Amino acid sequence: MILVWLILIPLVGGVVAGFVGSRNVSACRWISLVALALDAALAIGMISQHLGGFQYESSKVWFEEFRASWIPVLGISVHLGLDGLSSLMVLLTLFLGIIGVGASWSEIQERAGFFHFNFLWIIAGVLGVFLALDLFLFFFFWEIMLVPMYFLIGIWGHENRQYAAVKFFIFTQASGLLMLLSILALVFVHRAGTGTLTFDYSELLGTQMLPAVATWIMLGFFIAFTVKLPAFPFHPWLPDAHTEAPTAGSIVLAGILLKTGAYGLLRFTVPLFPEAARSFAPVAMTLGVIGIIYAALMAFSQSDLKRLVAYTSVSHMGFVLLGIYSFNEFALQGVVMQMICHGLSAGAQFMLVGALYERIHTRDMGKMGGLWTTAPAFGVAGMFFAMASLGLPGLGNFIAEFLILVGSFQASVPATTIAALGLVGATVYSLWFMRGAFFGPNERGWTIVDLNARELVLIAAFVIGLVWLGVYPQPVLNAVAPVVQSLEKMTQPVTAALLRS
Amino acid sequence: MLDLLWLIPALPLAGFLVLLFAGEKLGKSGVAWVGAGSVGISALIAGLLKWTFLTSPPEGHHFTQALWTWLDVGAFKPEIALYLDPLSLVMTLVVTGVGFLIHLYSVGYMHDDEDYSRFFACMNLFVFAMLILVLADNLLLLYVGWEGVGLCSYLLIGFWYKDPANCKAAQKAFIVTRVGDTAMALGFFLLVTQLGTLQVQDLLERAATRWEPGSGMALATALLLLGGAVGKSGQLPLQTWLPDAMAGPTPVSALIHAATMVTAGVYLIARTYVIYTLAPAAMAAVAVVGALTLLIAGLAAFAQSDIKRVLAYSTISQIGYMFLALGVGAWSAAMFHFMTHAFFKALLFLAAGSVIYALHHEQNIFKMGGIRKQLPLTYRTFLIGASSLAAIPFITSGFYSKDAILYQAFTSEHGHFLLWLAGALGALMTSAYTFRMVFIAFFGEPKTHVHHKPGWVMNFPLLALAFLSTVGGFIELPHFMGHAQFFADFMAPSFAHAAGHAAEAHHGAGLEIGLMVVAMALGLGGIAAAYVLFLAKPEIIEEKMKSEGNRKLHAFLFSGLGFDKLYDTLFVNPYCWIARVNKRDIVDLGYSFLAAVGMLVHFLLGLTVTGRVRWYAAGIAAGCLILMSVMVFT
């Protein structure tokens, strides 16, 4: 039941905040903050019971489970479940949700009620995505998070917001349609084999089907999730959506929404179709590697700070794709680390850029430079997250990329070698970011207010998170170890079979 | 006593944090006390540990202090642990000792800078990262320090960030070294995959038992690690960043780009020496890289007019000697030269800094002149450093360390006559360009007025380093000169697996003396040549420079033999070009095209909505006709 509460609290909180917002803007901010904090407290309380120590019951796959009938005729139920992977994603979502409310505190002045309604519904939708264990329910939540995001970009975005919002919507809708078709195909294939109509994840696992059929259905899921991730060549919606979205929108977009794509690959694409995924690995890894390099180059070519950070996201998600399809413990552990650490580092970068935009009303690096002098705390924070982004050892992102590359090295040496060049590319764009905004002469004579107390608190939260994940990532690794090991096992027999044939 | 080890890196880290959060409130003297004091106490503790190692060495001559388990994935379990053995102890002593002197010097040198606390914060962070690098028990932790010093190097080269040229130099340093680091990271992946660990001692043991000498794996690993080493240590082909790195404040050049960070590559190879002994081809590569680099950098040093760039090229060249030593298996000679080089090169940079300070940021040696009389103490200390760099026989430390390398380049089983020849020619060039600098900058007529004289905080480090540059060599004397081997004996436990030390004894004293005499003659000849060309008869050079060919040659040497231009053409410009033309993202154009097609179809279909019933009726009729024909004909 507690899982239902996790989703309900932001839903209800959103409605309340929406109604209050028209009369009292400040109250609506506080309501949103309290709702998310309450949700986070609930989640932490529950998850810490299971992840408190290093060891926990390995016999149970799900820490918590909830099942209620919904549309029994079609075999659809409200089935929620929480394991190590979803625990971490839930915590990340709520953390960035709270940050997002904080980051919008002074930015969002118009229609604040409706803004917070949308924002909380996105959070609820994402939580649902991370918890759903019924494919129909999953699809339901998948759609729930898109519509409010569309409004968020379309209403509170920057100059070119309509174009970006429509583009975002079309990309995700089209890929969502593919996923729906794949879900239906899978359900019908399952019924043809077993005679039961069900959308339940645990029953659909291990469905027997012809390899060709499996490949096609898998492709539907794969495309839906890689559009979201996004992977090359499905990424063009992201720079526009990121750039035009308000700060909180960019934070949740980069921090959480992209992670639903990675989560989908880990939770559905690979476990439901292990053999098809295995034989598809070379293609997926290639796309991942191209994404890493291409997006690193694209990030360097941007002059708009938000576009730059958006492309770095694409590059980092390339590592995720590469890691998932390496199918070993190192790489998969690295993938989960990367999902969390990128959520923090990119979220923080968007927050900084948003805070900068509030002060100087431009995102164009051509109009900046030398801001370190006038806002040193800004500069230090920018430096920190630029270093996180380029994978400086000691911060979480390094552990993530290191593990992914160690894992992928065992799967493919050429792919890893090229992907490693992405580390050089990341250096180039990160330094370009610092040079453009903070170093060099202050030609325009900017004098801006340095980070205020609210912003410093939010930034500090990010910094602590990344340092902690960099020097002591073991709790995260422990939390996902069972999930990762079962994924690894799932894909292993296939290798043996391939070797035999 | 040994349990204090963790404090050595922790103190500079604490200093960094204090300066980061409270630097502005501390005031200048507070900043100076925190910045220099934290490193000073670290140096004292390092000294205590050295004493412990000498009086009551721990079992096996090494000591590990495990702090916590960093990661635990599968069987791979790197720890946050510090490892102290003679090799890391010597590095630690140099980093903290020379580091402290340079911090002290900076108290005076940077006094009038508005970003005083930022400077010391970065310096402390650097010392912390460098100590992590040398004390790391595993290569993953070493990598933390490795990239950390890279970051600090970037921050300090670009310390005066308002000048775009400084930013450019800083970026170049970071990116070029990162290229090498990426190769090194691939080496780590290989090691984890093949040997399942990055813990250095386990690694060396497993490599020795699992890999055959000459095996492909050992070779691949050794070359990948070498990639990282040449990047960090400014060796061929990644040496181009180091001369530009002189854009940073002079104490930075002394600490990071002369004494400590740039020798990290030497340390890395020495640390993983077993892998290199398993791959003779990689050893040869190291030696050749060193030999070529020392020659190329020596040539480039001749054409420089900026005192710091001369010193930068000489640093590249001297590290070339260390690589040469590593490549012929002269592990402890490499570390010995590292140590003496840290003393005399830090001294040279700091003395040069005093000149620059006194002349109000004048770095061009042709605009100096006659400083000998105006700054006598600076002149004398600089001369001591220059003599050590030029390896003036018997009285300088540089002589003993360089002699050890040259001797082994010839006699070691991995040695070769050509390697020795390169080293000997390098000795000639070194003394010539060094004394070119001395004669031009310190002799002749004064050309720039001395603004202010350095105080004791700047002079004391000079004296201390001058002392070390002189006596530092006496702990390791050639065989025929009493055969003192304090340094090599102390280092021996760190290189226990290395064979070949015994082989030296077979050569008689005659060969040793012969080689030494040749090197000495070349070195002194270089000074004589410099005296003639740059002090006694400068008109010879002036005459030569009149010809077009010689001027082109000069420009070629001045540019560091054209490497920058080559890399710009091959890598930088194409990358920037693609970035520029593809700014709009060609992939997005594909989707835009799709959208445009959609709009076109929309428009065309829109044309059919005419509102005339006649049209619609005709359309319906045509549709029916087509449907019927399809049914009839199939």
Side-chain angles (χ1 to χ4, degrees), chain B residues 92-151:
Chain B
T92 305
L93 280 169
V94 171
V95 171
T96 54
V98 176
F100 169 68
L101 291 174
I102 294 172
H103 274 73
L104 190 63
Y105 177 91
S106 311
V107 169
Y109 188 84
M110 298 300 289
H111 191 263
D112 296 328
D113 200 282
E114 53 184 335
D115 283 320
Y116 199 63
S117 72
R118 179 162 64 93
F119 178 82
F120 277 100
C122 292
M123 290 287 271
N124 274 8
L125 183 63
F126 169 78
V127 173
F128 162 71
M130 191 69 206
L131 287 168
I132 291 294
L133 194 166
V134 300
L135 288 170
D137 146 89
N138 60 72
L139 293 179
L140 200 60
L141 185 59
L142 178 142
Y143 202 59
V144 172
W146 189 274
E147 296 289 299
V149 294
L151 166 64

Side-chain angles (χ1 to χ4, degrees), chain A residues 167 233 294 311 373 390 474, chain B residues 70 72 161 178 585 588 591:
Chain A
K167 195 169 179 179
Y294 183 75
Y311 274 109
T373 321
L390 69 74
Q474 203 53 39
Chain B
W70 191 4
D72 184 358
Y161 58 83
R178 187 84 168 166
D585 197 346
D588 195 26
Y591 291 104

Side-chain angles (χ1 to χ4, degrees), chain B residues 36-47:
Chain B
S38 61
V39 180
I41 300 173
S42 282
L44 284 178
I45 298 174

Side-chain angles (χ1 to χ4, degrees), chain A residues 19 53 93 98 126 143 155 159 191 228 283 287 313 330 350 358 384-385 394 488 493:
Chain A
F19 277 113
T93 305
I98 292 171
V126 173
E143 295 293 312
I155 298 177
E159 317 81 52
R191 191 181 65 164
K228 198 73 179 188
V283 180
L287 288 180
S313 292
F330 281 109
F350 279 119
E358 264 187 74
F384 181 88
F385 296 112
E488 191 188 14

